[in-house]
Amino acid sequence: MNSINLLAVTIFSGAIAGTILAIINLGLVEPYIDSAIALETQRKISSGENVDMAELVHYRIWQKGGAIAAGAVYGISLGALFGIVFAYGRKALPGDSNKQKALFLAGILWFVLYLMVAIKYPANPPAVGDPETIYYRQSLYVGYLAISGFTALGLALAWKRVQLGSKKILFPLIYAAIMIVAYVALPPNPDKIGISMDLIHTFRVVTALTIGLFWGILGIVFGSLWDRFISREEQKYATV
Amino acid sequence: MSTIRQIAKEVPRVPRIAVGILVAILLFTMFMVGFDQGHLFSIVQGQPAFDNMWMHEFYHDMRHASGFPCH
């Protein structure tokens, strides 16, 4: 396997999936972010706080302007993780083709790195997070993400090595048990919610779907590029 | 008389250099997108970077949309 091909396939597929996510977000997620910011601004004005509207508009232009680039970078970041896991685990993944294997892995990673974490620390629109608690919330989020990710990784490595036959059903049960303990042991998000729960619930559902879509696109693009550039390269070596 | 035939078969290995680069990309970009609160710009800008939080604002909407904690 050639380093350049692996890097190119990984980075390119991540950038494509991330850019598509950003474009989808502009249509599906941005309206909720705008609504939440409008509510937050209204609340600040009602409480007598001085709001610099020119600065707010300036920040929103910067934030929206960065959306596509931010999506591409986000995609490259998770694409890098995806590429490493796929390169090492491809043979153990179920599926008849690389596209199927990549799609399966994408589903697992969405579940382990997004959905499981979102059950404990769900996504919130602006107007919910308190700037004073950001480092505390980040450490909780990273802690729970690490527990989910490393538990899944450990169990995936053990899957091939442990001879349990039909008792392999134990593996997902072990994962579930560890995540239940972590869910109970880790403290909740400390911030109080002061805006409409309807807006928050809709935002969470929509973002879970768009991130799921991102992982699906990443899997399909990655599997296709792997077939095009890496499988052919391996076949070339095999026939020499 | 028996003979021993050796067949060398090349097994495609995952290139470690590429994996190292991908790990570096993962850590740096993940910090940039999800966690930076002015830290990266503070290397050249100093304390004002933590007030401006340019990187945070640039990735702001993606942070919310992808589930990272934000203000």
Side-chain angles (χ1 to χ4, degrees):
Chain A
M1 197 185 299
N2 180 309
S3 285
I4 302 291
N5 282 356
L6 178 59
L7 286 171
V9 166
T10 299
I11 292 169
F12 198 58
S13 53
I16 290 174
T19 304
I20 294 172
L21 168 70
I23 293 166
I24 293 169
N25 278 351
L26 284 176
L28 294 183
V29 178
E30 279 297 331
Y32 298 105
I33 292 180
D34 286 334
S35 300
I37 289 173
L39 285 171
E40 185 182 35
T41 308
Q42 207 173 31
R43 198 176 57 192
K44 281 180 182 172
I45 292 169
S46 307
S47 66
E49 198 178 318
N50 188 24
V51 177
D52 185 342
M53 291 307 285
E55 188 186 59
L56 184 67
V57 170
H58 174 71
Y59 267 126
R60 284 307 289 151
I61 292 169
W62 176 244
Q63 287 167 345
K64 283 190 176 180
I68 301 290
V73 177
Y74 176 74
I76 289 170
S77 187
L78 291 177
L81 175 70
F82 188 89
I84 297 167
V85 178
F86 189 85
Y88 282 110
R90 185 174 64 97
K91 285 181 183 166
L93 289 167
D96 297 327
S97 68
N98 286 316
K99 279 192 211 75
Q100 283 180 8
K101 286 170 183 273
L103 210 50
F104 179 84
L105 179 62
I108 295 285
L109 290 179
W110 174 70
F111 179 81
V112 168
L113 301 179
Y114 184 82
L115 200 61
M116 280 309 293
V117 182
I119 288 170
K120 178 71 180 174
Y121 301 116
N124 281 318
V128 175
D130 178 358
E132 298 297 318
T133 63
I134 184 68
Y135 291 118
Y136 177 61
R137 285 183 288 121
Q138 282 181 338
S139 53
L140 291 176
Y141 178 85
V142 171
Y144 199 73
L145 179 73
I147 291 169
S148 178
F150 284 113
T151 302
L153 178 65
L155 290 170
L157 292 172
W159 179 273
K160 272 282 171 187
R161 292 175 191 174
V162 179
Q163 300 296 320
L164 285 174
S166 62
K167 289 182 184 168
K168 280 189 171 174
I169 184 70
L170 283 173
F171 281 82
L173 292 178
I174 293 169
Y175 175 79
I178 290 171
M179 291 318 295
I180 289 168
V181 171
Y183 184 92
V184 175
L186 285 176
N189 184 332
D191 295 349
K192 284 180 186 161
I193 292 173
I195 61 168
S196 150
M197 280 312 288
D198 282 346
L199 173 65
I200 290 172
H201 287 319
T202 316
F203 178 81
R204 288 173 180 171
V205 170
V206 171
T207 51
L209 291 174
T210 56
I211 295 296
L213 203 59
F214 159 78
W215 280 108
I217 294 165
L218 178 63
I220 292 167
V221 175
F222 186 94
S224 305
L225 293 178
W226 184 282
D227 277 340
R228 176 78 181 79
F229 294 101
I230 297 179
S231 288
R232 282 193 187 179
E233 173 206 335
E234 286 173 355
Q235 279 165 10
K236 198 169 74 183
Y237 275 114
T239 53
V240 169
Chain B
M1 197 174 88
S2 64
T3 57
I4 299 169
R5 260 184 85 201
Q6 268 191 329
I7 299 170
K9 189 182 172 189
E10 188 178 349
V11 178
R13 285 174 180 273
V14 181
R16 286 184 183 172
I17 294 173
V19 172
I21 293 170
L22 289 175
V23 169
I25 290 172
L26 166 66
L27 294 176
F28 181 71
T29 51
M30 191 52 71
F31 180 77
M32 214 161 65
V33 177
F35 301 98
D36 183 86
Q37 297 291 112
H39 301 86
L40 289 175
F41 275 21
S42 74
I43 296 166
V44 287
Q45 207 185 358
Q47 189 58 33
F50 293 102
D51 300 323
N52 294 329
M53 294 198 293
W54 289 112
M55 207 64 97
H56 172 112
E57 301 300 347
F58 189 70
Y59 292 109
H60 176 267
D61 290 11
M62 184 52 73
R63 278 190 189 188
H64 282 285
S66 51
F68 288 108
C70 202
H71 60 69

